[in-house]
Amino acid sequence: MYEVAAPDAATVRRHIDNSLAIGVPVIIGEFSDRQSGKPVDYKSIMQYCSERSVGWLAWSWHGNNEDTANMDLSRGVNGGLTSLGSEIIYGAHGIQSQSKIPNIW
């Protein structure tokens, strides 16, 4: 879900709602803060996924090339989080606040 699918909150909601409306399982399997120099409304993705109980995965932990280095969530194997990584982990709708321990035992 990059610059074409998620440039703003209304577009994010429309794409998620349209996918859910046809009754298929939905997970946003890839997004970041921008792609090809164009912004991605990643905070709306995280928020609306939370509201609609849709799973998501941000791209990527580390190792992108120079053109996509903004997508790295960490500064390397032993490095800290990037600002995007901090938002993905600790933000209002980030992993820390949205994750639940499964009750399968």
Side-chain angles (χ1 to χ4, degrees), residues 6-49:
D8 55 60
T11 305
V12 168
R13 289 191 300 270
R14 185 176 70 253
H15 284 295
I16 291 172
D17 288 344
N18 288 346
S19 297
L20 292 171
I22 62 173
V24 297
V26 177
I27 183 168
I28 306 304
E30 192 174 315
F31 67 91
S32 189
D33 60 343
R34 66 185 186 280
Q35 185 182 34
S36 302
K38 296 179 181 168
V40 175
D41 192 350
Y42 72 97
K43 290 182 182 182
S44 289
I45 294 170
M46 294 164 58
Q47 179 180 356
Y48 202 59
C49 282

Side-chain angles (χ1 to χ4, degrees), residues 81 85-97:
L81 295 173
S86 290
E87 184 71 30
I88 296 296
I89 302 295
Y90 302 116
H93 298 282
I95 292 170
Q96 187 176 52
S97 69

Side-chain angles (χ1 to χ4, degrees), residues 37 63 66-67 72 79 87 94:
E66 187 177 310
D67 294 336
D72 285 342
E87 184 71 30

